[in-house]
Amino acid sequence: MGFNEWLNTILLVGVTEEIVFRGFLLRKLMGSFKFWVANTITSLLFVFIKVYLNSLIF
């Protein structure tokens, strides 16, 4: 994998994560919770998924 493909992959993953966690989930949760509660939930979910996926890979 060349540098351009690697860079594009990293950027695509980052943008996709932001859209899912900050765009979709945060807006849905803000319908039921205050901003800070909804933001905390999405942040904890993000950390949980990252730790879980890292444990599967390594």
Side-chain angles (χ1 to χ4, degrees):
M1 179 182 277
F3 178 74
N4 286 336
E5 291 86 11
W6 180 80
L7 183 61
N8 288 336
T9 301
I10 298 299
L11 292 175
L12 180 63
V13 168
V15 169
T16 303
E17 287 176 345
E18 286 298 317
I19 290 171
V20 170
F21 283 96
R22 301 288 182 233
F24 179 72
L25 286 178
L26 182 59
R27 289 181 189 199
K28 289 292 184 181
L29 288 172
M30 282 177 53
S32 301
F33 302 102
K34 293 181 180 180
F35 170 76
W36 292 109
V37 175
N39 200 20
T40 302
I41 292 170
T42 59
S43 297
L44 292 174
L45 183 60
F46 181 81
V47 168
F48 174 76
I49 289 172
K50 287 293 190 176
V51 169
Y52 180 71
L53 289 177
N54 280 340
S55 69
L56 291 177
I57 294 171
F58 299 108

